[in-house]
Amino acid sequence: MRGESATAGSETFDAAGRLAALDQQGWQIRYEDYVLRGGLWLPRKLSLANERGRLRLVLDDWRL
């Protein structure tokens, strides 16, 4: 089931075509910032929330 979900979700993309938000299975994930590493745009700041709480991630380093 890789890449598939049991319930429908919604995706939002920014002007550059990168994922900006994903709402699926009770989770709201916001991709708040991206960084260019090794020729790839990778998420740097993410906010994850559901009915039980909220988590904010800031990624300082990507190793490719």
Side-chain angles (χ1 to χ4, degrees), residues 19-20 30-34 45-47 54 56-57:
L19 190 60
R30 305 293 176 252
Y31 296 79
E32 299 172 355
D33 191 26
Y34 280 85
K45 291 183 184 178
L46 296 100
S47 175
R54 182 173 179 250
R56 184 157 188 222
L57 297 174

Side-chain angles (χ1 to χ4, degrees), residues 2-22:
R2 186 172 48 164
E4 299 176 14
S5 73
T7 55
S10 65
E11 301 168 340
T12 305
F13 297 89
D14 66 14
R18 299 177 299 230
L19 190 60
L22 177 63

Side-chain angles (χ1 to χ4, degrees), residues 18-59:
R18 299 177 299 230
L19 190 60
L22 177 63
D23 294 340
Q24 188 171 20
Q25 295 183 337
W27 285 94
Q28 296 80 43
I29 304 170
R30 305 293 176 252
Y31 296 79
E32 299 172 355
D33 191 26
Y34 280 85
V35 63
L36 185 61
R37 293 287 187 261
L40 300 171
W41 284 101
L42 301 170
R44 192 177 93 73
K45 291 183 184 178
L46 296 100
S47 175
L48 299 90
N50 69 11
E51 63 187 29
R52 298 176 76 190
R54 182 173 179 250
L55 174 68
R56 184 157 188 222
L57 297 174
V58 178
L59 303 163

